[in-house]
Structure formats: C-alpha cells, structure tokens
Amino acid sequence: METNQSKHKIRICLGSSCYTRGNAENLKIIQSFVEENNLNVNLDFRGHLCHEDCNRGPVLSIDEVLYEEVQPFQVEKLLQEKLI
Ligand code: FES
C-alpha cells in the first residue's frame, strides 16, 4: 500500500533573507503545530535554501502552493486551513 501519496508537503525557505524576516519564527510555529496535532506521520516537512524569491519572502509552500510574505501571525490559520 502506498501511503506517501496522501502526505501533505510543506517546504520552508531557510535562506538568510527569508529566515531573518519571518521564517525563523514561522518554522517554530509549524513545528509546534505539527507536534500538537500529531501530524508527523502524514507530513513531509523540509527546509530549503534560497531560491531567489527573496523580495517576496518570507516564502513557504504547502502542497505545491507557494505563499509569499508569510508573517508569523498568519501561519497557524494557514495550517488549520490546509492540514486539518
Ligand atoms: S532567502 Fe528565501 S527566497 Fe531567498
């Protein structure tokens, strides 16, 4: 049985621009959310290096949809909508 197909995918930019402008905090929020909601099994969560979207950062993607200028106060709502 293939279970990977149903996995949600989160990618967060850990390049220095995104990281210092919000993704350091966003990363912590995502990690806490995943832990609190026991989402680890069904989640493929990885960081990546800068891919030159810095001027629209901090960037992250959920299930291949790119979100730009993501501020920490927006992250939990986004996760609730996409993962729960
Ligand atoms: S640091 Fe995130 S796109 Fe450049």
Side-chain angles (χ1 to χ4, degrees), residues 8-11 25-37 39 43 45 60-63 67 70 72-84:
H8 288 291
K9 237 167 58 166
I10 299 180
R11 298 291 182 265
E25 187 66 21
N26 292 341
L27 176 64
K28 287 185 201 157
I29 293 168
I30 295 169
Q31 286 171 328
S32 301
F33 187 89
V34 167
E35 206 168 298
E36 282 162 19
N37 293 283
L39 299 175
L43 186 67
F45 178 31
L60 57 87
S61 67
I62 302 176
D63 296 335
Y67 298 92
V70 182
F73 77 91
Q74 301 170 304
V75 172
E76 188 156 340
K77 185 164 183 273
L78 198 56
L79 295 171
Q80 286 280 0
E81 285 173 8
K82 301 298 168 189
L83 304 184
I84 301 292

Side-chain angles (χ1 to χ4, degrees), residues 55-67:
N55 57 343
R56 291 179 285 165
V59 297
L60 57 87
S61 67
I62 302 176
D63 296 335
E64 315 290 352
V65 178
L66 181 68
Y67 298 92

Side-chain angles (χ1 to χ4, degrees), residues 13-25 58:
C13 180
L14 301 178
S16 57
S17 174
C18 287
Y19 192 80
T20 55
R21 289 162 62 211
N23 271 355
E25 187 66 21

